[in-house]
Amino acid sequence: MKNEYMAYPAVVKKILKESSNTNTYTLAFVNEEKQKNFKALPGQFMMIGIFGIGEAALSICKIDEDGSFSTTVRNVGNVTNTIYQLKEGDKLNMRGPYGTGWPLEELKGKDILIVAGGIGLPPLRGIIDLVQKNRKNYGHLEIIYGARTPEDMVFKYEFGAWRQIKNSRFDLTVDTVSLGSKWECKIGLVTSCFPQMKTRNKNSIALLCGPEIMMRFAAKCLETIGFKDNQIYVSLERRMKCGFGKCGHCQIGPKYVCKDGPVFSYDEIRPYIHPL
Amino acid sequence: MNAFTIEKKNIHFLFDQFRKDYKIYGPTKPGYESTFEEITSIDQLHLDYHSTVLPPKKIFHPPHEQLFTFLKEKETYTTKEIFLEEKTLLFGIHPCDVHALLKLDKFFSGEFTDIYYLKRRKNTCIVALNCVEPSKYSFCYSLGTGPFLEEGYDILLTDIGTEYLIEIGSDEGKKLLEKTTVEKVTDADFHEKERRQKLTELKFKKHMNTQWLPQIVSESLNHSVWSDLGERGGIAGSHACLSCGSCSLVCPTCYCYDVYDTVDITLQKGIRARELDSCQLLEYAEVAMHGNFRSDRTARIRHWMLCKFGAAAGGHNSGCVGCGRCIRVCPSKIDITQVARILRGE
Ligand SMILES: Cc1cc2nc3c(=O)[nH]c(=O)nc-3n(C[C@H](O)[C@H](O)[C@H](O)COP(=O)(O)OP(=O)(O)OC[C@H]3O[C@@H](n4cnc5c(N)ncnc54)[C@H](O)[C@@H]3O)c2cc1C
Ligand code: FES
């Protein structure tokens, strides 16, 4: 019987600065066998931690050819702060991957709308990479990304390449712009981008990740243009301790976000998002 | 032969036999309350009990448990798992508590397994005792989890007067009895068991109709009973929930736990441990940057009730077995059977 609680040593191969409190870490298991067998899907997450501090659920944002993966971490508390102090070559411990990931089969041949808020973009980046690499397998790609300020945006270094993706549209918005900073896109909530949106409800899928209130409003807007709940997928966040449906913390109604999610079809999870 | 009898005054024969191979836990009464503790001598065993404060869950899913140690050497950590490989025997566990263990067995196995719980369970022998004196809070009969047991035991005892009827439920149970002095069983003994079962079933003061209950509660997320329980001063006979978490602490199927690390003074080594948690506590659903997905008591008590009615993520495996402990300990006198009645519109 496997000990699911055991976390294994991993090395920080690369660190990329994203914003004043966010970095992207490329990680790989130290054990070569373990690294070789590591397989993950976009939207899944890892439990990453430092012994003595604890563990945090962190989404896989990019999977490299050699099997190492990247995760974008925002420094908000104990574990994330300790990760934030690490340097390239340092070690941490991790286990996973966990969760269901985005509905990859469902996306084939469809128009894809991505709506992300803040630190909600990293879990969706795997989808953008996938479309970029296999362009003809998918229809139109539209990315709507909102953050608090331009400085809070992650993956800015990819925006150029994303704009070059054929048959796509990329829209950015921020809540506020500080005096003196350069910003040429929109100012306003993510939903303020919706009037210009090109994606229509026919033969398309919307993938949402961000603060729950943002997802609820986005889903509501999508419904007004004819999207059905089963065309909308959301990735939820909850407190997590185990990652595999045993500690109970991530429960939402009759589901574990860690095991049954974090990606849910909106028709499946909608009744529980608000009241529970 | 799958059944025997033993005179009550000879019960120590069984005890002495069990002690040879097992560490024995059973009901004892050190003070006013009965509790499940390690039993080292037969006079500690108190089989005429209603219910214990904490369920025997505490032996398999302890309130506090160390998972593994970690040690830092040259920037790399080595870990060592902590397993207690001990053969244990539960002597005198009631049917409702056996059913709770059967539920937890299912809960802790499946796609992902909990090695700590399952290892202990595998090393355990169950000597159950049918319940002939239900407590005034219990309602196992309504849930089919008691007062008499049909499954889940190695050995089953029933009080039939001056003797216990002994029934064997497994090979392990059979082996245990081979070397013990027990008496032959007669048809009259089985009739007496049946008579006592019928008699006991009439003794219940509380009842809960569970038909369609998971569906009913799932469709009643906006029912006023939740805010009545959570904020407004309760329902008839009870006060508003205090979010003390006692109900989950004493519940034999509440499984939730928190995981945390402790380090020693060198900061080089430490222990990852877990501790029972409760969805009734404010911190349970808290996340970074002061987020909390169940910050009000209404949402918390609703979640607990949902879970006990089998409509939360644990499904039937974390549902109620009718032991009545939560009713007994609730400082606000919240009664789960009454909540069920209100939800059913009765
Ligand atoms: C499926 C999933 C994917 C995530 N992906 C990312 C990501 O890619 N990048 C990123 O920066 N953040 C992500 N998060 C959020 C991240 O897990 C939390 O920010 C992190 O756990 C905070 O831990 P901390 O110890 O730094 O904070 P503290 O506030 O010190 O945490 C205290 C305790 O609360 C728990 N906790 C606090 N916040 C959360 C939370 N939001 N979710 C779960 N448990 C929490 C922690 O387990 C910890 O034990 C994700 C969360 C989930 C559930
Ligand atoms: S994180 Fe433990 S049950 Fe989901």
Side-chain angles (χ1 to χ4, degrees):
Chain A
M1 213 188 302
K2 191 178 158 210
N3 190 342
E4 299 286 350
Y5 296 91
M6 193 49 77
Y8 300 91
V11 63
V12 178
K13 291 172 66 178
K14 204 168 132 201
I15 302 177
L16 264 178
K17 191 153 184 65
E18 300 284 353
S19 76
S20 63
N21 65 356
T22 307
N23 285 343
T24 295
Y25 298 82
T26 306
L27 305 171
F29 284 108
V30 173
N31 182 306
E32 277 174 29
E33 188 66 23
K34 205 156 173 59
Q35 183 55 39
K36 222 174 68 198
N37 294 329
F38 181 79
K39 278 194 187 70
L41 297 166
Q44 285 191 303
F45 66 96
M46 299 289 289
M47 292 302 286
I48 302 182
I50 317 275
F51 287 139
I53 309 290
E55 293 183 299
L58 295 167
S59 300
I60 293 165
C61 71
K62 185 165 164 279
I63 303 159
D64 297 328
E65 307 270 281
D66 68 352
S68 49
F69 72 92
S70 302
T71 179
T72 302
V73 184
R74 186 196 278 176
N75 175 3
V76 293
N78 292 330
V79 175
T80 46
N81 184 260
T82 314
I83 295 175
Y84 202 72
Q85 312 297 327
L86 297 179
K87 296 180 292 297
E88 286 177 6
D90 282 352
K91 301 228 175 67
L92 39 68
N93 289 275
M94 59 187 192
R95 53 192 177 89
Y98 296 115
T100 47
W102 299 104
L104 298 184
E105 276 308 308
E106 187 88 354
L107 292 178
K108 285 201 182 127
K110 302 237 170 79
D111 290 350
I112 302 172
L113 169 69
I114 286 178
V115 183
I119 196 75
L121 184 59
L124 279 160
R125 176 166 172 189
I127 299 295
I128 304 176
D129 289 348
L130 197 73
V131 176
Q132 216 173 2
K133 279 201 199 100
N134 310 280
R135 192 62 199 96
K136 52 182 195 320
N137 293 351
Y138 304 93
H140 184 258
L141 171 71
E142 184 157 21
I143 306 167
I144 298 178
Y145 177 36
R148 234 168 323 162
T149 70
E151 291 74 33
D152 285 321
M153 296 212 142
V154 296
F155 307 145
K156 288 182 276 266
Y157 44 90
E158 297 285 356
F159 290 0
W162 290 354
R163 286 206 169 87
Q164 302 301 314
I165 299 175
K166 281 205 193 92
N167 190 21
S168 76
R169 184 171 173 271
F170 185 34
D171 205 356
L172 295 171
T173 181
V174 292
D175 297 351
T176 52
V177 179
S178 55
L179 217 59
S181 67
K182 205 166 146 248
W183 183 249
E184 285 155 359
C185 299
K186 278 196 192 61
I187 298 181
L189 299 176
V190 164
T191 39
S192 67
C193 296
F194 278 36
Q196 283 87 34
M197 197 173 82
K198 269 189 75 182
T199 314
R200 290 289 148 246
N201 62 330
K202 252 189 144 171
N203 198 36
S204 56
I205 298 277
L207 309 176
L208 322 182
C209 187
E212 219 149 284
I213 179 115
M214 177 218 99
M215 294 196 279
R216 257 193 281 148
F217 276 108
K220 209 167 165 184
C221 291
L222 289 174
E223 273 157 19
T224 60
I225 58 163
F227 268 82
K228 298 261 165 2
D229 280 357
N230 63 5
Q231 287 176 277
I232 304 174
Y233 287 83
V234 294
S235 179
L236 299 186
E237 187 193 6
R238 282 293 180 278
R239 186 182 179 103
M240 289 191 181
K241 284 294 174 173
C242 68
F244 47 83
K246 299 288 184 236
C247 77
H249 282 92
C250 68
Q251 278 178 87
I252 169 164
K255 305 278 177 193
Y256 293 111
V257 172
C258 63
K259 190 162 107 337
D260 306 319
V263 176
F264 291 98
S265 111
Y266 199 55
D267 63 341
E268 161 187 36
I269 209 68
R270 180 188 182 139
Y272 308 104
I273 283 202
H274 188 56
L276 303 175
Chain B
M1 207 44 179
N2 277 324
F4 304 94
T5 57
I6 191 164
E7 289 218 24
K8 281 185 174 172
K9 64 176 167 44
N10 290 338
I11 194 83
H12 61 272
F13 289 161
L14 288 185
F15 181 79
D16 294 338
Q17 183 59 39
F18 299 161
R19 265 206 91 188
K20 287 182 189 153
D21 299 312
Y22 298 92
K23 179 169 175 176
I24 298 180
Y25 288 94
T28 181
K29 203 170 181 180
Y32 179 68
E33 304 273 12
S34 293
T35 153
F36 257 90
E37 299 296 338
E38 188 185 349
I39 306 286
T40 50
S41 104
I42 188 73
D43 26 288
Q44 291 169 320
L45 194 67
H46 192 267
L47 289 176
D48 295 325
Y49 74 111
H50 291 301
S51 178
T52 52
V53 183
L54 291 181
K57 171 181 88 174
K58 69 177 186 182
I59 298 157
F60 303 96
H61 189 31
H64 174 93
E65 175 175 31
Q66 301 185 336
L67 301 177
F68 55 82
T69 59
F70 48 83
L71 168 70
K72 193 178 184 181
E73 282 168 320
K74 295 200 196 91
E75 296 311 306
T76 315
Y77 282 100
T78 49
T79 50
K80 195 161 170 266
E81 295 154 294
I82 305 173
F83 293 125
L84 277 180
E85 308 266 1
E86 209 170 36
K87 286 186 72 132
T88 53
L89 182 143
L90 289 190
F91 198 151
I93 172 174
H94 279 165
C96 57
D97 286 336
V98 173
H99 275 278
L101 288 180
L102 295 178
K103 281 172 185 279
L104 289 184
D105 290 351
K106 284 198 207 125
F107 176 80
F108 281 120
S109 36
E111 184 192 353
F112 293 97
T113 50
D114 190 287
I115 191 168
Y116 296 91
Y117 174 91
L118 292 177
K119 255 182 188 276
R120 271 193 296 265
R121 249 324 243 129
K122 215 176 124 229
N123 280 329
T124 306
C125 180
I126 300 276
V127 180
L129 172 66
N130 277 331
C131 187
V132 288
E133 253 345 299
S135 86
K136 63 178 175 190
Y137 306 103
S138 58
F139 49 99
C140 58
Y141 182 44
S142 308
L143 292 155
T145 53
F148 277 39
L149 195 59
E150 310 283 340
E151 55 177 330
Y153 58 87
D154 296 293
I155 294 173
L156 175 64
L157 305 178
T158 312
D159 181 342
I160 49 168
T162 53
E163 296 170 322
Y164 285 111
L165 172 68
I166 307 175
E167 290 166 274
I168 293 173
S170 75
D171 290 345
E172 191 173 355
K174 190 173 189 157
K175 244 187 261 154
L176 267 172
L177 285 179
E178 271 164 8
K179 297 178 216 121
T180 324
T181 332
V182 282
E183 317 284 329
K184 280 213 184 83
V185 71
T186 63
D187 282 348
D189 296 328
F190 281 110
H191 286 140
E192 181 58 17
K193 176 187 170 187
E194 220 171 284
R195 193 184 73 85
R196 292 205 171 217
Q197 175 165 5
K198 291 215 179 84
L199 216 61
T200 311
E201 285 167 4
L202 297 173
K203 289 185 186 169
F204 286 93
K205 304 250 176 344
K206 291 203 181 287
H207 302 274
M208 188 162 95
N209 180 354
T210 55
Q211 203 183 16
W212 299 107
L213 197 53
Q215 288 81 353
I216 292 171
V217 64
S218 302
E219 284 161 18
S220 311
L221 300 178
N222 296 316
H223 198 288
S224 59
V225 69
W226 307 126
S227 47
D228 286 345
L229 284 169
E231 309 291 341
R232 279 212 286 270
I235 48 181
S238 81
H239 306 284
C241 174
L242 300 174
S243 278
C244 67
S246 301
C247 49
S248 3
L249 191 67
V250 301
C251 176
T253 59
C254 269
Y255 58 85
C256 290
Y257 58 84
D258 201 0
V259 180
Y260 63 94
D261 292 357
T262 44
V263 278
D264 81 348
I265 198 159
T266 65
L267 300 181
Q268 303 301 302
K269 58 178 199 277
I271 292 167
R272 179 158 291 171
R274 66 173 164 194
E275 208 165 80
L276 287 189
D277 201 351
S278 166
C279 60
Q280 295 312 289
L281 305 178
L282 180 61
E283 303 80 9
Y284 179 86
E286 200 174 69
V287 293
M289 313 213 282
H290 312 296
N292 194 328
F293 290 99
R294 274 194 284 275
S295 57
D296 55 285
R297 288 184 295 176
T298 299
R300 293 202 292 278
I301 186 75
R302 174 177 52 200
H303 182 76
W304 190 81
M305 290 285 173
L306 221 64
C307 184
K308 295 307 123 187
F309 293 144
H316 288 302
N317 298 342
S318 59
C320 180
V321 291
C323 71
R325 288 184 176 93
C326 58
I327 306 176
R328 182 169 169 260
V329 299
C330 181
S332 288
K333 298 196 169 64
I334 293 172
D335 179 342
I336 185 171
T337 63
Q338 197 190 352
V339 177
R341 271 195 299 279
I342 291 173
L343 287 170
R344 306 188 78 94
E346 287 167 4

